[in-house]
């Protein structure tokens, strides 16, 4: 769902100055969340917009939303602290913002590095469907991406797919294999607030239709999986692609994904990235959210 905000709300937000946030460990402090909520609630149509956002993320047929903040970004500057505080305020209406990376601030830069593994988030190639922090026992309930600059060459559309709908299209045999603890991927270090390393793990983790689908397509190439488990994961990857939606994020667009429902990725960036100065390449800012109850519902 794409959510536009009214011109009246935009005008109020442009004139609003939210204070610098405070952290409680890795998470946005409760005092800051309350202060932001109080200030934003005074803006016309903010409460209605926040309700629409939460419903888009948690309704039975929902799971992701793009909040269109482009005119705000243009007025304030997409990388300006005042705009980032407004985006954080919207995020705090969904769940508790936090950073699982001690070496990074609350928002993590995802730029473009031409010498990086092309399949990584900061690479230039196809970034296949995945769940963030897939191998933590307590992965973020939501992953969010704020677009500061799209690819100036026009590539890199975001892709999303309903993970549970993809699973439902699989055979019962494949679903049974995906529910077994036969999968592993990646490393696990220098992290906090995402539990312990989960290895091995089931792809289908929790109640059908509600639990995480712990999948990353990279496990098919970079993890040694048993043949039957690999075949089941490959079948899931194909269904995710079959059911995907694709769209281009523009400057100021704020994508929020409920990780209990949708997986995400990105198509390849347009060729010629090495010819673009690093400071002009695509730039996203990433923020993770933890639902207060740990169930994916709003804070």
């Amino acid at each position: 769902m794409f959510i536009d905000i009214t011109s009246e709300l935009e005008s109020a937000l442009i004139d609003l100055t939210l204070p610098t946030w405070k952290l409680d460990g890795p998470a946005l402090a409760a005092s800051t969340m309350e202060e932001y909520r109080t200030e934003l609630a005074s803006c016309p149509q903010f409460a209605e917009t926040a309700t629409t956002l939460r419903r888009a993320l948690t309704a039975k047929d929902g799971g992701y939303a793009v909040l269109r903040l482009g005119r705000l970004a243009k007025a304030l500057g997409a990388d300006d602290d005042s705009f980032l505080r407004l985006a954080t305020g919207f995020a705090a209406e969904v769940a508790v913002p936090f950073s699982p990376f001690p070496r990074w601030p609350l928002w993590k830069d995802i730029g473009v590095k031409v010498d990086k593994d092309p399949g990584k988030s900061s690479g230039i190639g196809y970034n296949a469907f995945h769940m963030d922090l897939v191998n933590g026992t307590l992965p973020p309930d939501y992953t969010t991406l704020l677009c500061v600059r799209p690819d100036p060459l026009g590539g890199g559309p975001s892709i999303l797919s309903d993970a549970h709908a993809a699973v439902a299209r699989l055979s019962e045999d494949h679903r049974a294999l995906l529910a077994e603890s036969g999968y592993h991927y990646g490393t696990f270090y220098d992290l906090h607030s995402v539990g312990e390393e989960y290895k091995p793990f089931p792809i289908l983790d929790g109640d059908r239709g509600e639990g995480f689908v712990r999948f990353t397509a990279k496990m098919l190439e970079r993890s040694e999986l048993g043949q039957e488990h690999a075949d089941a994961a490959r079948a899931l990857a194909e269904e995710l692609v079959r059911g995907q939606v694709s769209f281009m994020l523009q400057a100021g667009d704020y994508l929020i994904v409920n990780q209990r429902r949708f997986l995400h990725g990105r198509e390849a960036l347009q060729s010629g990235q090495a010819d673009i100065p690093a400071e002009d390449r695509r730039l996203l800012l990433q923020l993770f959210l933890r639902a207060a109850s740990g169930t994916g519902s709003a804070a």
Side-chain angles (χ1 to χ4, degrees):
M1 175 180 285
F2 293 82
I3 303 173
D4 292 298
I5 62 176
T6 66
S7 57
E8 188 177 4
L9 176 55
E10 284 176 341
S11 296
L13 292 175
I14 289 171
D15 293 336
L16 185 67
T17 302
L18 294 177
T20 301
W21 62 68
K22 297 178 181 178
L23 299 180
D24 183 4
L28 191 67
S31 59
T32 296
M33 291 183 65
E34 185 59 32
E35 192 168 10
Y36 281 12
R37 186 164 290 151
T38 299
E39 293 287 339
L40 290 166
S42 66
C43 297
Q45 283 96 50
F46 177 80
E48 293 86 346
T49 303
T51 297
T52 299
L53 177 62
R54 288 191 294 267
R55 286 176 178 166
L57 293 166
T58 60
K60 187 175 182 180
D61 59 347
Y64 74 92
V66 178
L67 195 58
R68 313 305 294 266
L69 303 177
R71 290 191 293 270
L72 273 177
K74 185 175 181 180
L76 300 174
D79 57 353
D80 187 84
D81 286 346
S82 59
F83 176 66
L84 205 55
R85 288 194 288 268
L86 290 174
T88 304
F90 275 106
E93 290 293 316
V94 175
V96 181
F98 79 102
S99 171
F101 309 111
R103 63 189 182 279
W104 285 94
L106 190 62
W107 290 83
K108 177 180 181 291
D109 288 10
I110 301 179
V112 175
K113 299 177 181 178
V114 296
D115 56 350
K116 191 86 170 180
D117 179 342
K120 295 288 189 179
S121 59
S122 57
I124 62 176
Y126 175 65
N127 188 11
F129 281 113
H130 63 280
M131 184 185 110
D132 287 331
L133 282 300
V134 66
N135 58 339
T137 54
L138 294 172
D141 293 295
Y142 299 88
T143 185
T144 83
L145 294 166
L146 179 64
C147 182
V148 176
R149 284 189 304 275
D151 178 6
L153 297 179
S158 297
I159 54 174
L160 291 103
S161 193
D162 184 331
H164 291 286
V167 168
R169 294 192 294 269
L170 297 175
S171 69
E172 192 60 43
D173 287 345
H174 279 158
R175 289 198 295 267
L177 287 163
L178 294 175
E180 294 178 359
S181 295
Y183 300 90
H184 56 93
Y185 173 76
T187 57
F188 192 91
Y189 64 93
D190 200 17
L191 297 169
H192 54 193
S193 297
V194 290
E196 306 297 329
E197 182 175 14
Y198 201 0
K199 180 181 179 179
F201 55 80
I203 288 179
L204 303 185
D205 188 13
D207 295 334
R208 183 173 294 182
E210 292 296 332
F212 289 112
V213 177
R214 290 179 175 271
F215 179 77
T216 172
K218 297 182 182 72
M219 68 170 63
L220 295 170
E221 298 178 355
R222 305 181 187 187
S223 299
E224 294 184 4
L225 305 177
Q227 188 62 53
E228 287 188 329
H229 289 100
D231 288 345
R234 192 168 290 108
L236 174 56
E238 292 172 357
E239 288 300 332
L240 288 166
V241 172
R242 184 176 304 176
Q244 79 176 36
V245 295
S246 174
F247 49 82
M248 190 74 72
L249 292 176
Q250 302 298 329
D253 282 352
Y254 188 24
L255 169 63
I256 304 178
V257 182
N258 184 337
Q259 291 216 114
R260 292 180 181 271
R261 302 194 179 192
F262 272 73
L263 301 179
H264 68 285
R266 188 208 65 225
E267 299 283 4
L269 301 179
Q270 192 63 259
S271 60
Q273 295 296 317
D275 298 327
I276 302 174
E279 64 272 16
D280 294 332
R281 296 174 190 155
R282 183 178 191 258
L283 176 61
L284 304 181
L285 300 179
Q286 186 171 43
L287 175 68
F288 297 100
L289 308 179
R290 170 78 63 211
S293 62
T295 62
S297 57

